[in-house]
Amino acid sequence: MNTRLWFEKFGSQVRGVFWSRTAQRIKVVLLGRSISDGLLAKLILYLLLSIVAYLYVQPILYMISTALKPLSDLLDPTVKWIPRVVTWENVTTAIKGLKYPEALRNTALIAISCSIVQVLICAMTGYALAKLTVPFKGLITALVIMTFLIPPQIIIIPLYVIYSKLSLLNTIFVFLIPAIFGQGLKSALFILIFRQFFKSQPLSLEEAAKLDGASTARLFFGIMLPLARSACLVVFLFSFIWYWNMYYEPSWFLSDNFTPLSIRLDRLEDVLNPSLLGQRNTIDNPATESSKMAAAFMIILPPIVVFMFLQRWFVSGIERTGIVE
Amino acid sequence: MKTKEILRQKRHFHSKRYGIGLLFMLPWLIGFCIFVAIPIGWSIFMSLHKVTVVPGGFKYERFGMQNFKDAFVVDNIFPIELITYIQQMLLMVPIIVIFALLISLMLNQRFPGRFIYRAIFFLPVIFATGQVLSELFTQGAGDIPFLEQYDLQPMVEKYVGLQFATTVMDVLSRVVLILWYSGVQILIFIAGFQTISPTIYEAVRIDGASPWDSFWKITLPASIPFISLNVLYTIIDLFTFPLNPVLQHIRDNMFKIDTGYGYASALAWIYFAFIFVLIALVLWLFNRSMNARRNRS
């Protein structure tokens, strides 16, 4: 009796100590600045991150695995991740169905040209809002933020009519011209990023340049823009990716031959399976699932490659631009 | 005479400075008028009319507020979808922001190989938009298996009530895709943490604060602006979520003969109004909390 009581007490004490320790460790892992203490802390950190990373990567793995499966493996419930036979047939079907080289060219053309324009125009606008004297600056800044809030669904029909009047439909200019006039995809966000960056630059720099006789244009293109390298990279990458992936606008403005990858992915089912045309309910048709996954993977492959090359600068760029106040 | 001369020079100087600023702003201003202001005005005009497509253009019929009334009285799908989606958003926004906060706290630590992890967590930024996402979603690649395995539905119903159970289950069933939507938010948080001076942490550590304390006393209060920024960004981002039933409904109505562009525009404006109220509410709340903090210190 006595021993049992003692035992329980001892047990609860041990448990108490144990729990308080663990809690402490978890606290350190989650919130600590001094991460260097203890292997356990690091292990838990790695474990947590790995679990979430797995959740993140899993759909991509699913994409790859499904893309390489033949139909028999796809229907076989015992085959989960690794196909019995790796087949490249789906990939070739997808390339044919998407008309990949042509669509890739279209998408790349839109994404690269528009994002370069975006960088330049948004930098100019952001600079004007940050450093130059512009009448009604506060109002204009509010309008910039407002353009970010206006959903494309509200203005898409008028835009469609405007573009068709200007006979721009089915050309790259549908995206290039708004971008030139500072109304590209999410341009408001980029303008604000640049505004923030230029605001954080010291005034003395400009004054020094002005004293040396530099004009505003010279100051901007010669000094400010090169200084904003990291902001430019961040804006370029975001803009590139968003233009690459955009679906809604092209689904309105580009319909004939000049279509990007996202539209062709959406129509892939109809292309691969013309007999089912119009029956959108049969979306998870197993016969074309693998090809569609292959197509989806090939669409995101180019941005992933670009991102892998640039990510180191990208991340450090984000940290240095002071995107946030 | 002399003062006049100075005034003239001053005006000249000002107009020159204004001129350069305007020159820099000019593309944006023109673009705003053509590609934003005119379409918005037109869209409001259309929402007040019954628009029918006739050969060579549109035919407008005065309709007054009828479109807006119809949205709530005649249309029996739109109000339900709107309310459901806003409910879902109210659940999704905190999930995304809190998740992004936790992940960015972890990624902000110094440990070997963190570049690899960072790369992975920014990966969704690449394809969490657009068609690839909805393709994945229709094929169920974003599902998490435990939802069906453990049959969570009755439990959820028990805790949150029948009314919200479907909302909660909907959100849970696509939680992976929702987490994918936190790429940009993680970036914003990480960038935000860089603005907190490390000397503060050192100072409180010397004063004997535990990491737990320093999180609640320093990191969290300092990140309130970034939290508000992220909440706003998330709301705007979810606003055009590709799997959004409201947008689908608006799009469907554009091509229906009996409703058409006028009605669709009205629906879009109603949707916008709801989101706008939500954004205003968030801004007001954060402003208040910031002011309260400032007054206390």
Side-chain angles (χ1 to χ4, degrees), chain A residues 242-299:
Chain A
W242 281 330
Y243 267 110
W244 189 278
N245 283 325
M246 81 181 155
Y247 169 76
Y248 187 74
E249 288 85 358
S251 74
W252 277 85
F253 302 141
L254 309 176
S255 54
D256 290 349
N257 301 313
F258 189 73
T259 41
L261 286 162
S262 59
I263 303 280
R264 298 198 185 190
L265 175 65
D266 193 41
R267 295 186 188 153
L268 192 59
E269 177 75 40
D270 299 342
V271 174
L272 294 180
N273 233 336
S275 59
L276 290 173
L277 196 65
Q279 284 171 290
R280 294 316 229 113
N281 307 341
T282 51
I283 262 175
D284 39 356
N285 175 5
T288 54
E289 187 177 335
S290 291
S291 312
K292 277 197 287 190
M293 280 294 110
F297 183 68
M298 278 194 313
I299 288 177

Side-chain angles (χ1 to χ4, degrees), chain B residues 74-90:
Chain B
V74 179
D75 196 332
N76 47 15
I77 303 171
F78 179 70
I80 298 170
E81 269 179 351
L82 186 68
I83 299 294
T84 323
Y85 190 64
I86 287 183
Q87 274 179 1
Q88 285 188 11
M89 261 175 96
L90 288 180

Side-chain angles (χ1 to χ4, degrees), chain A residues 4-45:
Chain A
R4 217 184 112 204
L5 253 176
W6 179 84
F7 204 71
E8 254 173 30
K9 202 174 154 200
F10 180 73
S12 78
Q13 240 168 19
V14 165
R15 235 173 291 138
V17 167
F18 177 74
W19 276 118
S20 74
R21 278 251 174 99
T22 322
Q24 201 61 39
R25 285 285 155 86
I26 291 173
K27 275 180 204 167
V28 169
V29 171
L30 277 176
L31 323 160
R33 290 298 300 175
S34 47
I35 196 67
S36 48
D37 34 321
L39 200 67
L40 188 63
K42 237 169 223 174
L43 264 176
I44 293 176
L45 182 71

Side-chain angles (χ1 to χ4, degrees), chain A residues 31 46 50 56 151 245 289 319, chain B residues 112 117-118 126 139 179 212:
Chain A
L31 323 160
Y46 274 119
S50 302
Y56 261 56
N245 283 325
E289 187 177 335
E319 283 172 3
Chain B
Y117 281 104
R118 283 191 177 193
I126 294 177
Q139 303 212 357
L179 296 190
W212 180 255

